Every structure is written in structure tokens, then in C-alpha cells.
Amino acid sequence: MSTHMTTRVLIIEDETKLASLLADYCRHAGFQVIAVDRGAQGLALIRNKQADVVLLDLMLPDGDGLDICKQIRQFSSVPILITSARVDELDRLLGLELGADDYICKPFSPREVIARIKAILRRLQQPPPQDSGLLLDDQRLVLHFEQKDVALTSVEFALMAALADHPGHIRSRQQLMDRIYTDHRVVSDRTIDSHVKKLRQKLAEAFPGIHFIDSVYGAGYRLGSLKADSPEDAPDGLP
Ligand code: CA
């Protein structure tokens, strides 16, 4: 993050109406806004450290947003929120490991975009999970937190480890399945959901109110805040 007092949101979006609507909402939320309609312009601004958060459209007149995302990651860790017009692209995007921080599908409400930006900023302000006290003992299949040990099944342990290895990043159900079932057996998305449900129940009994696992609608799961705070995607009080 820069030392600027105000967060600068860079909008890379060629749909003029959408860009100006997003810009209005961002300003209303107290952010500074720079909007460009070409990927190359966006890249130049990020190189010059003019952005604290990037909203990146995937279909731009001068190229594929995925390429731009990859190029950004070669020199910058600026948070990127990808906007995609297709829900069915999401799993593919997640599988590509592009290093984006979040994904949102069009049509979206600008309010939801603001909530996602704020969630990204909050995650950046949180201490890294190695300082959170969460320990996963793979010898004993035990989750250790706040002076307590909780015994996990091997599947639950693999799930938790997959999320904890990538704090702040969404893991798709497919990625979680790949991690858990190394024998390539065919399981459905619901299998993951039911394991997550059981794991949450187990952890909720041991640590009431602590957020270990966030659900990201339409995308997958993410390591939670490991705190007893309100859910990240709560409404932010916009008009
Ligand atoms: Ca576009």
C-alpha cells in the first residue's frame, strides 16, 4: 500500500457508462478514482505506482484482461479485482492462478464492487495468518488455535491447509477437490460443500464465533479472518 491517505482505485473498463457509474460509487465511498479504457494505459499507471486497487475488465479493446493481469503480477502486487461478463468463466479464472485478489461477475451492482474493494483493503490490513496463532500439525492432523487442539479428519485437514496456504485468496471447489483427492476420483461440488459444513461445525464448537472459512458466492472458499468479527460481505451502508 502507498502512503497516500486516500485509496486510489484504478478502473480499467471500456464500457463508458459502467466506468462512470463505478467511478461515482468509488468517489462516494471516499476513494480517489482514475478511469482508463485501455489495458496499456492501466499498466503504465500501475508501473508509476498510481493505483492502490485495480478494477480490471477482462475484454478490452487492446487486449485480453488475463494477459494484463499476468503482466501486472510481473512487477506489482497491487490488489486486482477482475470483472467478468461470464459466470462460467469464474472457475477457469481461478484455475489459471493469475494472482488476482477477487473476481466479480457482470452484471454486478456497483455497491457489491465497493464492498469487495473494502474487503480486499481490510484483508491487506490484517496481520498475516502466521501471526494469527493458527497452526496445522500434519503429523497429528490437529488444528491448534488459542491454546486448543482440534483433531481433524484427513479430508478436513487437507481442506484447512489448502485455504491456509493461500490466505486472502479464493480456492475454487475444483482446486480444493484436487488437493483433497489426489487419486483423481470423481466427486461433486457438493462433496466439498458438505466437508466444509462439517468442518465449520466442528470448529464452531471449539471456537464459537471465530471465522475460519469464508464462502465466496459463485467462486469457492477462502481462509477467514480468524476473528470473531462481522462477515466481510456485510452491506457497507451505501445508498
Ligand atoms: Ca469490456
Side-chain angles (χ1 to χ4, degrees):
M1 298 294 288
S2 78
T3 52
H4 276 248
M5 295 302 287
T6 309
T7 300
R8 299 159 306 172
V9 178
L10 171 61
I11 300 171
I12 310 178
E13 169 64 69
D14 62 307
E15 287 170 52
T16 320
K17 269 190 186 166
L18 181 56
S20 93
L21 188 64
L22 282 172
D24 286 347
Y25 268 75
C26 285
R27 289 194 192 97
H28 183 89
F31 303 137
Q32 276 181 38
V33 180
I34 315 167
V36 297
D37 59 3
R38 296 291 188 275
Q41 295 171 309
L43 273 171
L45 288 162
I46 296 163
R47 271 187 206 287
N48 290 323
K49 306 200 187 311
Q50 300 295 303
D52 300 312
V53 178
V54 178
L55 283 184
L56 176 63
D57 177 32
L58 277 195
M59 306 234 286
L60 292 160
D62 64 336
D64 186 342
L66 296 180
D67 290 333
I68 292 160
C69 188
K70 275 189 241 172
Q71 287 180 57
I72 294 169
R73 279 293 170 262
Q74 284 166 18
F75 64 88
S76 170
S77 61
V78 66
I80 301 171
L81 171 55
I82 285 185
T83 58
S84 166
R86 294 179 52 183
V87 174
D88 57 1
E89 285 249 276
L90 268 180
D91 255 348
R92 192 174 76 83
L93 294 175
L94 289 163
L96 288 172
E97 300 279 353
L98 291 162
D101 294 79
D102 204 354
Y103 307 81
I104 190 165
C105 278
K106 295 178 184 176
F108 48 68
S109 79
R111 190 186 305 214
E112 171 70 7
V113 173
I114 300 297
R116 298 284 189 99
I117 293 173
K118 288 185 174 174
I120 289 173
L121 295 172
R122 274 199 298 271
R123 286 206 296 281
L124 288 174
Q125 284 156 5
Q126 281 166 10
Q130 53 264 41
D131 299 341
S132 69
L134 176 66
L135 286 173
L136 295 168
D137 180 346
D138 61 356
Q139 300 296 310
R140 297 189 298 143
L141 296 185
V142 154
L143 178 149
H144 178 85
F145 188 70
E146 292 183 342
Q147 277 99 47
K148 245 188 260 181
D149 282 350
V150 177
L152 303 181
T153 66
S154 61
V155 166
E156 290 165 350
F157 190 89
L159 257 180
M160 204 61 220
L163 300 176
D165 282 354
H166 303 272
H169 288 264
I170 303 163
R171 301 284 95 185
S172 69
R173 289 178 177 79
Q174 185 60 52
Q175 286 173 320
L176 293 171
M177 281 188 263
D178 290 347
R179 173 87 177 236
I180 292 165
Y181 301 108
T182 48
D183 56 359
H184 301 291
R185 91 175 83 159
V186 179
V187 292
S188 79
D189 286 7
R190 293 212 183 135
T191 312
I192 292 294
D193 292 342
S194 87
H195 284 306
V196 168
K197 193 176 169 193
K198 278 186 214 149
L199 177 54
R200 275 181 166 154
Q201 283 166 356
K202 191 183 266 192
L203 295 174
E205 280 169 26
F207 312 102
I210 301 286
H211 287 268
F212 282 93
I213 302 171
D214 285 342
S215 303
V216 184
Y217 180 74
Y221 295 100
R222 180 170 57 204
L223 185 67
S225 63
L226 305 178
K227 287 185 203 157
D229 57 5
S230 55
E232 280 194 337
D233 292 331
D236 279 80
L238 283 167

